[in-house]
Amino acid sequence: MQIATTIEEVRTLVKSWKKEGCTVGLVPTMGYLHEGHGSLISRAREENDKVVVSIFVNPMQFGPGEDLDSYPRDLEKDSAYCESLGADLIFHPEPSEMYTEGFCSYVDMSVLTEELCGLSRPVHFRGVCTVVNKLFNIVAPDRAYFGQKDAQQLAVIRRMVEDLNMDIQIVGCPIVREEDGLAKSSRNTYLSAEERQAALVLSCAVTCGQELVAAGETDAKKIVAQMKALIEQEPMARIDYVKAVDGLTMQQIDTVKKPMLVALAVYIGKTRLIDNFIV
């Protein structure tokens, strides 16, 4: 496995792979990898001849006061993990490599980015769309892999690829959870032991919502209300949002219909965690 820090290195290597007729899978990450990322890398390994994992804490998708500086980083551990899963290349650029002096071009989106996380993190998706677009241009993958935990991000990227006529297959992979149900996240490392226990309220709320749908509840507002009530019982939890939205447009809906995304963002102490389920 190789580690590249420049765009030129990546392009040179990928061009040589393409000349050999190899397919390329890309797994974009911000590093501090866990089993959720591992499931994406393993899926990419199964479906492609070559696998590229990008590890880049993208400053553009962090707003003022967010955790850019404190976001966990461990390239040595990440590299060993990627190699154990059969990755061929890690792309680990510096911000100055991705955003040269005078950088002023962005990929923006409306509608899908104006709900859920887009409301509380207004610059987030412009940063996501811009960096993912750049990664697609640099790596030129046949397939790119994203986790369902970031369901809005997955929908946004799928829409971007469709709207901009990109010849890339976007593969969504299921949420990977801890044994007790908490969705795997690099930000889980911020939680104290007490907060870690309190964080289980997110997956409990997801289970509650799923059970209501399975029981035949068709009123999305009732589902959301019961999920909120459950979360509010946890003193350490502060709700950012719990919403039922159309799975394609991210717009709020009142009646259960397919595809529906029920998504939540909750602060446990100072740590913002997300979870969701799809109908």
Side-chain angles (χ1 to χ4, degrees):
M1 188 189 73
Q2 297 175 250
I3 299 177
T5 58
T6 69
I7 293 167
E8 184 179 357
E9 287 176 273
V10 175
R11 283 184 164 160
T12 299
L13 185 55
V14 171
K15 281 179 183 177
S16 70
W17 291 343
K18 296 275 187 176
K19 282 183 180 179
E20 296 169 3
C22 296
T23 56
V24 178
L26 170 66
V27 181
T29 82
M30 293 206 300
Y32 214 73
L33 305 181
H34 51 67
E35 288 88 344
H37 300 107
S39 70
L40 307 183
I41 298 168
S42 296
R43 178 81 176 267
R45 178 72 282 160
E46 292 170 8
E47 297 179 352
N48 302 275
D49 299 312
K50 301 291 183 180
V51 175
V52 180
V53 179
S54 64
I55 296 177
F56 178 60
V57 181
N58 176 32
M60 192 184 289
Q61 68 192 65
F62 289 79
E66 292 187 347
D67 57 340
L68 172 61
D69 293 335
S70 61
Y71 195 87
R73 296 161 169 87
D74 191 338
L75 181 60
E76 185 176 347
K77 182 180 176 183
D78 288 348
S79 299
Y81 190 45
C82 287
E83 188 161 25
S84 74
L85 294 171
D88 298 282
L89 174 66
I90 289 175
F91 178 39
H92 179 59
E94 292 293 327
S96 58
E97 177 73 7
M98 294 294 279
Y99 304 117
T100 54
E101 186 176 354
F103 186 93
C104 57
S105 301
Y106 305 93
V107 178
D108 229 331
M109 185 184 293
S110 59
V111 185
L112 277 75
T113 60
E114 294 166 357
E115 257 295 352
L116 305 178
C117 289
L119 286 174
S120 53
R121 305 184 70 193
V123 304
H124 177 69
F125 285 113
R126 182 172 79 162
V128 169
C129 288
T130 301
V131 77
V132 170
N133 199 301
K134 286 176 67 69
L135 289 169
F136 287 174
N137 286 328
I138 293 164
V139 178
D142 298 279
R143 301 176 186 88
Y145 297 79
F146 297 86
Q148 190 62 57
K149 183 173 73 71
D150 297 293
Q152 185 178 17
Q153 173 180 275
L154 177 56
V156 163
I157 290 167
R158 280 184 167 143
R159 187 76 213 191
M160 179 183 75
V161 166
E162 179 181 349
D163 286 353
L164 301 183
N165 306 111
M166 298 178 176
D167 188 19
I168 300 169
Q169 180 186 350
I170 302 301
V171 181
C173 299
I175 296 173
V176 176
R177 299 183 180 276
E178 304 284 358
E179 288 186 12
D180 57 10
L182 183 66
K184 296 270 188 181
S185 171
S186 300
R187 288 187 169 99
N188 289 348
T189 58
Y190 297 161
L191 301 170
S192 67
E194 188 179 5
E195 289 171 339
R196 172 65 180 73
Q197 187 63 32
L200 295 179
V201 74
L202 278 83
S203 54
C204 289
V206 165
T207 300
C208 170
Q210 289 172 320
E211 289 175 348
L212 288 167
V213 172
E217 180 59 69
T218 59
D219 188 331
K221 287 185 176 180
K222 287 184 179 179
I223 294 168
V224 167
Q226 291 200 40
M227 292 173 65
K228 281 184 174 179
L230 191 157
I231 296 168
E232 287 166 351
Q233 292 174 19
E234 171 50 61
M236 300 187 76
R238 177 169 60 87
I239 294 173
D240 181 352
Y241 66 77
V242 181
K243 292 180 179 178
V245 299
D246 182 292
L248 299 177
T249 67
M250 300 292 112
Q251 301 305 295
Q252 288 190 68
I253 54 177
D254 295 331
T255 304
V256 173
K257 67 172 187 176
K258 300 177 183 179
M260 179 177 80
L261 168 68
V262 181
L264 55 152
V266 178
Y267 286 92
I268 303 294
K270 295 181 179 180
T271 304
R272 185 178 181 276
L273 301 175
I274 59 175
D275 207 337
N276 67 78
F277 71 94
I278 292 173
V279 178

